Every structure is written in C-alpha cells, then in structure tokens.
Amino acid sequence: MEEIKNPKHSLSNAVELLDLERLSDPRGNLTFVEGGRHIPFDVKRVYYLYDVPAGESRGGHAHHELQQLIIAVAGSFDVVLDNGYERKTVTCNRPFQGIFMKSLVWRELENFSSGAVCLVLASMRYEESDYIRNYDDFISVARKG
Ligand code: TYD
C-alpha cells in the first residue's frame, strides 16, 4: 500500500534553511545574527566545533526543548536531520547560511572538511536533561507529539 504523507510530519515544520545577511565590501564579508530578529529565540549559549578529525561525526542526539542555529563559518560538513518521520542531509558550506532547527530534531554532523568550524547559537544553556541520546527513545517521543 502506498504511504500517505501527512504534512504535519514534514521535516520542513521543524527545520528551516536561513539566508543570513551578508555585507560585502573590499575589506571582506560580514554576517550577523540577532536573537529575536533573524532567529526566533534569544541566544543563551554559543558553542563551536572545530578540529574535527576526518571521518569523525558529532551530534547523534535530539533535544526536548532546545532550538539552535547551525552555521558553517569555515569549511563544510553535512548535517543529517530527522524528525522521526523524514530524514534529509543538508551540506553546510556557506558562512551566510544557517540551519535553524526547532526541538525534537535528531541530528548527525559528518563529513567535516579540514579546517571546518561549526558555529551553533542555542536557545538554552547546556542541560544534559534536555538531551535525547537514544534513537529509539527519540522516535517514541517524536511520534507521540
Ligand atoms: P555533545 O553535545 O554530546 O557533543 P556533540 O553533539 O557536539 O557531538 O557534547 C559533548 C560533551 O560536551 C558533553 O559531555 C557535554 C559537553 N558540553 C558542554 O558542557 N556544554 C555545551 O554547551 C555542549 C554543546 C557540550
């Protein structure tokens, strides 16, 4: 039987590719992000991944509440996104684009290029209790909602 797709289950409800502003002049490029204006949350935390060895992956979890914006400020990497119904891989390689993700999105970051830097703006401080680190647990939480 053919699967009937429910629009409520679309990954695009939870993930958005954002084009950020880019000011270019002969001195170089400048991109900025304001909480509450370019992203729908106030930034409570910033972290970044760098010096990721070739072949290593990061992530492999989801969050109950946390929302994030992910930007490849240098180099490139792939982000596998999964809302429990749909899975998609997005390549991040432009410092003026970001992946905005709401809560309950499983993400895996892989294929880091040499020199890649993954900048993350987060809506909450670090809280281990907000993590869902087991994929089966994630599926049951995501499909309950
Ligand atoms: P984790 O989020 O699991 O890494 P990734 O998703 O990048 O693969 O975090 C790895 C470790 O770092 C874990 O012990 C928690 C710690 N950590 C903090 O203390 N603060 C933070 O803001 C982050 C993101 C992680």
Side-chain angles (χ1 to χ4, degrees), residues 45 47 49 58-59 61 126 128 131 133:
R45 176 166 55 111
Y47 66 92
L49 301 167
R58 307 284 318 207
H61 55 72
Y126 173 74
E128 184 57 36
Y131 279 75
R133 292 194 181 273

Side-chain angles (χ1 to χ4, degrees), residues 38-97:
H38 302 107
I39 44 176
F41 59 83
D42 286 331
V43 178
K44 295 272 173 50
R45 176 166 55 111
V46 173
Y47 66 92
Y48 35 98
L49 301 167
Y50 54 98
D51 290 346
V52 178
E56 286 293 345
S57 61
R58 307 284 318 207
H61 55 72
H63 290 275
H64 289 286
E65 297 292 338
L66 186 74
Q67 300 186 36
Q68 294 179 302
L69 181 74
I70 293 184
I71 304 168
V73 290
S76 71
F77 49 84
D78 292 337
V79 185
V80 181
L81 300 154
D82 180 337
N83 67 347
Y85 297 97
E86 193 180 353
R87 181 171 269 244
K88 188 172 164 180
T89 301
V90 176
T91 297
C92 285
N93 56 10
R94 297 195 167 113
F96 52 89
Q97 286 179 339

